[in-house]
Amino acid sequence: MPDKIAQIGRQAALAAGAVMRQKYHQPHEITMKGVIDPVTETDFQCQEIIIGMIRQAFPDHGFLAEEKAGEDVGQPPSAVPAAQEHAHPGLAWEADPPPACRWIIDPLDGTVNFAHGYPAFCVSIACEADGVLEYGVVYDPLRDELFEARRGGGASLNGTPIRVSKTARLDRALIATGFPYDIRERVPETLARLGRLLSRVQGLRRGGSAALDLCYVACGRLDGFYEENLKPWDTAAGLLIVTEAGGKVTTFDGGDYDLYSPNILASNGIIHNKIIDKIMD
């Protein structure tokens, strides 16, 4: 089963990536899910392709996907138990009880970039069994870079094993961050945190795709990444890829991270506590 999961996940990521490449330079149909949260026709098309391929191979598996393109992806809002909707608003919930195997999908991570023609976006797909992440794949179609990880099997980039960096000094570290879609409600604290890090690190980047940022930590291009208010589909695959590459993932205060945590900090592990000191200062 694990080999087949990886095979189908990889094929689905590549297929969605091919659509992104084809649509990248074309005009987009853009609608807004929030004030600064767009979705394009390509998001929906990619999600349909991914779910269709997975469902054909695994008809009994479930899905948690970003775009509610079809009723069968999750329950409609009216069917979501009140407690769940309050705890995790906006998620495409599966029926209760959840299936043993579930795919967590962001069909196009970096939609703002994609809509503007900015070349930093990807597809992110993860598979969990009984609540444990077993496989993750992130595909950057413009660079043709496929990041993968299996639980206990390490992480790779286009088939070559990858490891996190060995950077031990914060003033030699390249850190990435992202701004949540509700950034307008939290500008002061976001800028304060940014300022504390900028005064200590070698450089700080904001790429616009959390999944890619996590993969860049995994392969050593970045030494750390932090962001608030991400959703499970933003981090599921990247979380597994970072940890399998030898990195560390926690919440801002160093606590255990899960897919519903309010914030995430990923690093090479060596400078993890040093980043926490600046984030939580």
Side-chain angles (χ1 to χ4, degrees), residues 113 118 120 176-178 205-209 213:
N113 289 346
Y118 188 83
T177 189
R205 304 288 182 263
R206 199 281 189 188
S209 168
D213 286 334

Side-chain angles (χ1 to χ4, degrees), residues 4-270:
K4 187 176 181 182
I5 285 175
Q7 177 188 5
I8 297 302
R10 187 182 309 118
Q11 290 175 353
L14 291 171
V19 173
M20 293 180 203
R21 277 195 303 270
Q22 178 186 2
K23 299 285 189 178
Y24 179 50
H25 292 295
Q26 298 180 12
H28 304 300
E29 299 174 13
I30 301 173
T31 56
M32 301 302 295
K33 297 186 290 183
V35 176
I36 56 172
D37 188 4
V39 61
T40 73
E41 81 292 343
T42 305
D43 293 74
F44 292 120
Q45 185 177 355
C46 288
Q47 179 164 299
E48 184 177 354
I49 289 169
I50 293 166
I51 291 178
M53 293 178 68
I54 295 172
R55 180 168 284 145
Q56 185 174 11
F58 303 107
D60 59 334
H61 286 194
F63 300 92
L64 179 62
E66 179 173 14
E67 312 305 343
K68 299 178 182 179
E71 293 181 1
D72 57 345
V73 174
Q75 293 178 311
S78 60
V80 177
Q84 290 183 346
E85 178 68 15
H86 176 72
H88 310 300
L91 299 188
W93 283 98
E94 281 291 344
D96 188 32
C101 289
R102 182 175 69 161
W103 294 80
I104 305 171
I105 301 164
D106 192 338
L108 204 172
D109 185 51
T111 298
V112 172
N113 289 346
F114 181 81
H116 284 268
Y118 188 83
F121 51 85
C122 64
V123 53
S124 175
I125 303 172
C127 182
E128 64 176 16
D130 296 321
V132 178
L133 289 170
E134 296 288 346
Y135 173 76
V137 57
V138 173
Y139 181 54
D140 178 345
L142 296 187
R143 296 173 181 81
D144 193 25
E145 291 187 333
L146 187 88
F147 297 87
E148 282 184 289
R150 298 188 194 189
R151 184 170 67 89
S156 65
L157 167 54
N158 290 343
T160 300
I162 54 176
R163 297 292 294 179
V164 294
S165 74
K166 297 181 180 180
T167 302
R169 292 174 51 178
L170 207 55
D171 62 357
R172 295 291 183 267
L174 182 62
I175 307 295
T177 189
F179 302 141
Y181 283 118
D182 62 348
I183 181 63
R184 297 179 182 183
E185 301 173 10
R186 55 179 79 194
V187 171
E189 59 266 38
T190 300
L191 291 180
R193 186 178 296 117
L194 194 68
R196 292 194 297 270
L197 274 170
L198 277 172
S199 67
R200 291 297 307 275
V201 300
Q202 186 174 60
L204 199 146
R205 304 288 182 263
R206 199 281 189 188
S209 168
L212 281 181
D213 286 334
L214 287 167
C215 289
Y216 287 1
V217 171
C219 71
R221 295 174 185 170
L222 293 171
D223 303 299
F225 163 73
Y226 71 95
E227 189 168 348
E228 295 181 274
N229 203 26
L230 292 173
K231 298 297 188 291
W233 45 78
D234 297 312
T235 63
L239 167 62
L240 186 62
I241 292 169
V242 169
T243 54
E244 288 294 328
K248 185 173 183 177
V249 181
T250 69
T251 55
F252 283 1
D253 61 3
D256 293 338
Y257 178 81
D258 67 48
L259 295 180
Y260 302 102
S261 295
N263 51 61
I264 184 172
L265 168 61
S267 80
N268 63 7
I270 305 171

